[in-house]
Amino acid sequence: MARHGRDVGISKGRVFILLVFNVLFCCWLGTCCPAYAFSDIYALKSKLNLREKPGVDTRVLAVLERNSSLCGLKSINGWVHAATPDGKDGWIRADLVSSSVVHIHKAERTAVVVEDGLVMETFSIAPASAGMPEGRYFATLSGGRSMILSWPNRADYRRFLVTGNMTLARCDAALVSGKSSMRKRIALCGGSGKSGECGAVFSASDFSRLTTLFPNGCRVEIYPDAEEDRMLNRPDELSYRIYQGAVALLKTPPAGMRQGARLPALSYPGGDIQPDFATSPDIVTRAVRRAGLDLQVLVHEDMLLHPDRYQGLDRGDDPHGAHRSVAVLFAYFSHNSLSLTTDVNEDLFAFEAGDIVFWASGETGNDAPDRAGVVSETFDRDGVPQIITVGGVGQLTRRQSVLTKQTLIGHFRMTHLFDYQ
């Protein structure tokens, strides 16, 4: 998909898809698509084909992994027209996707079945010895007495790395292979729950009901409590956190430094240069970190799993510093977030606080993006949103008028914390 807003006109079809994803992930207790889309859905099987047209003989546009998020646009004769967050739309068999999600609230000891943002059923649960780490998982029926969670997920591996329970090499190997290197399993269990793998225990009758509802497995989202569930799923929560993270940087604004300057090697995860200096990717990374996500780690993992996306890009000299390259960061956002309009004249209100934008400053002599920043809630004299970023060497991080004064290359919105696990 072309990203150069000034060079490429946006088709009606693409505008439709952009509008769809502009309001994805916006309802309490779950995500929601706009009124003209019928459902938020996710894949029930791995290696699931998204096809150009309904029918098993049509061209494959993308191959989806189990638990991948999609927006269902319409349903016809056993097929669903759906779109992925990075803008691909096609057709997928209706029996291979679902819109029902189990939300577990640990403090309240409840499991809530949510469908299209509506609570359908509520079960009481008892905690068990295996514990229930927060995050998004997929539960698969095992032997009729438990539903095994896809644990650990990427967020769990990051926790193992930080606590020293796993080396980076082992984490990387587990991510690339797609196979857990942990002997322990975590499951939803029915009945007595004596198994050491049980994280939550349902009554026998409730578990029977759960397996009847989800014979092919289901998405499970685990929250510390119902309030955290509500907050994480409210409209634009992650964007708001990113914006607040960017505003925090203005209190002691870092000074600009030369792009590509040689620096001491970064630690991993959480690696950063000294806080009183920054390039524009550092501003984005620090804002996103304050929102609860580490772009250093996310970029590293994406490069491991999808090296083709980063071929030919300048990653810098530091093996843990690729996220500090504008080109690499742009490639990451292009594939892992909502891609929105780059035309301010088309829709000024599409630029919301916390969005990430990329532009070409003209200093490199080409149209490649070489600057990045976070959209602010403040406006310039023309009523255009300002961007929180850092300029040239020695300039302090501040709000700048960019959207109508520079060649905008990309405009992205991160979706939900759990989407990056």
Side-chain angles (χ1 to χ4, degrees):
M1 180 183 296
R3 304 286 177 182
H4 292 60
R6 75 185 183 96
D7 296 328
V8 180
I10 301 178
S11 68
K12 291 182 179 179
R14 186 180 175 197
V15 168
F16 177 69
I17 295 301
L18 294 178
L19 287 172
V20 168
F21 281 95
N22 191 33
V23 290
L24 273 177
F25 309 99
C26 63
C27 287
W28 180 71
L29 277 180
T31 63
C32 70
C33 292
Y36 46 80
F38 74 89
S39 187
D40 290 294
I41 56 179
Y42 59 91
L44 291 173
K45 304 289 184 181
S46 289
K47 310 303 179 186
L48 203 56
N49 292 324
L50 184 72
R51 296 184 177 274
E52 185 176 29
K53 297 178 182 179
V56 296
D57 297 326
T58 62
R59 185 165 67 98
V60 175
L61 303 176
V63 179
L64 308 174
E65 293 300 320
R66 189 176 63 185
N67 219 7
S68 299
S69 295
L70 301 135
C71 183
L73 305 178
K74 61 182 177 181
S75 180
I76 299 175
N77 297 329
W79 288 81
V80 175
H81 185 202
T84 63
D86 63 355
K88 298 183 181 70
D89 70 296
W91 293 84
I92 194 165
R93 275 175 42 190
D95 61 322
L96 299 179
V97 294
S98 175
S99 61
S100 297
V101 181
V102 176
H103 291 236
I104 291 180
H105 303 150
K106 294 197 291 187
E108 291 81 1
R109 298 187 178 183
T110 57
V112 181
V113 178
V114 179
E115 185 169 358
D116 298 332
L118 300 175
V119 175
M120 307 303 291
E121 299 195 41
T122 301
F123 303 103
S124 295
I125 59 173
S129 59
M132 297 288 282
E134 286 100 38
R136 177 180 291 166
Y137 303 89
F138 192 88
T140 305
L141 188 62
S142 175
R145 301 191 62 181
S146 64
M147 296 185 76
I148 305 297
L149 297 184
S150 55
W151 180 89
N153 65 14
R154 293 191 202 176
D156 296 314
Y157 280 120
R158 295 166 202 153
R159 285 190 284 267
F160 298 151
L161 189 59
V162 170
T163 57
N165 293 326
M166 186 174 283
T167 65
L168 178 58
R170 195 173 166 201
C171 284
D172 287 352
L175 291 173
V176 171
S177 68
K179 298 178 181 179
S180 171
S181 59
M182 311 297 291
R183 294 181 179 178
K184 177 182 175 182
R185 299 197 303 180
I186 295 179
L188 310 181
C189 303
S192 63
K194 293 181 180 179
S195 170
E197 67 186 22
C198 290
V201 180
F202 294 71
S203 69
S205 59
D206 284 349
F207 188 76
S208 177
R209 173 61 178 160
L210 192 70
T211 57
T212 300
L213 289 172
F214 304 110
N216 297 317
C218 63
R219 172 177 286 180
V220 176
E221 296 186 352
I222 303 171
Y223 299 89
D225 51 45
E227 175 63 15
E228 185 72 6
D229 184 349
R230 184 191 67 80
M231 290 185 63
L232 283 182
N233 287 292
R234 69 187 181 183
D236 302 320
E237 172 66 15
L238 183 55
S239 293
Y240 176 75
R241 294 186 183 196
I242 293 171
Y243 170 62
Q244 290 298 314
V247 170
L249 298 174
L250 299 177
K251 295 179 181 179
T252 54
M257 62 182 299
R258 183 173 60 84
Q259 298 272 353
R262 288 191 173 275
L263 298 162
L266 300 182
S267 59
Y268 181 95
D272 199 358
I273 63 173
Q274 61 189 85
D276 48 347
F277 288 98
T279 60
S280 63
D282 296 320
I283 299 302
V284 173
T285 297
R286 291 170 185 174
V288 173
R289 272 186 178 144
R290 288 174 180 264
L293 293 170
D294 190 342
L295 279 174
Q296 181 192 33
V297 174
L298 295 177
V299 168
H300 170 76
E301 291 173 351
D302 204 50
M303 290 171 62
L304 278 177
L305 298 173
H306 306 283
D308 54 304
R309 296 175 179 175
Y310 301 90
Q311 287 182 355
L313 299 182
D314 181 8
R315 307 180 186 186
D317 298 325
D318 190 334
H320 299 316
H323 64 292
R324 301 191 66 243
S325 160
V326 176
V328 169
L329 206 59
F330 179 79
Y332 174 81
F333 277 100
S334 296
H335 292 282
N336 295 280
S337 59
L338 308 185
S339 178
L340 305 174
T341 181
T342 56
D343 189 342
V344 178
N345 297 318
E346 176 187 281
D347 186 2
L348 182 61
F349 296 103
F351 294 83
E352 297 185 358
D355 289 355
I356 310 298
V357 293
F358 293 80
W359 65 94
S361 68
E363 296 178 7
T364 59
N366 57 46
D367 288 339
D370 63 348
R371 293 287 190 277
V374 179
V375 177
S376 174
E377 282 186 339
T378 62
F379 300 85
D380 61 20
R381 294 179 180 178
D382 297 323
V384 178
Q386 294 179 301
I387 306 300
I388 299 175
T389 189
V390 67
V393 177
Q395 297 181 20
L396 294 181
T397 301
R398 59 186 175 87
R399 295 180 174 92
Q400 299 184 31
S401 295
V402 169
L403 298 183
T404 57
K405 301 181 184 301
Q406 300 287 351
T407 303
L408 201 61
I409 307 298
H411 172 201
F412 305 102
R413 183 170 302 153
M414 301 189 82
T415 51
H416 187 288
L417 282 170
F418 288 174
D419 288 325
Y420 301 94
Q421 296 182 353

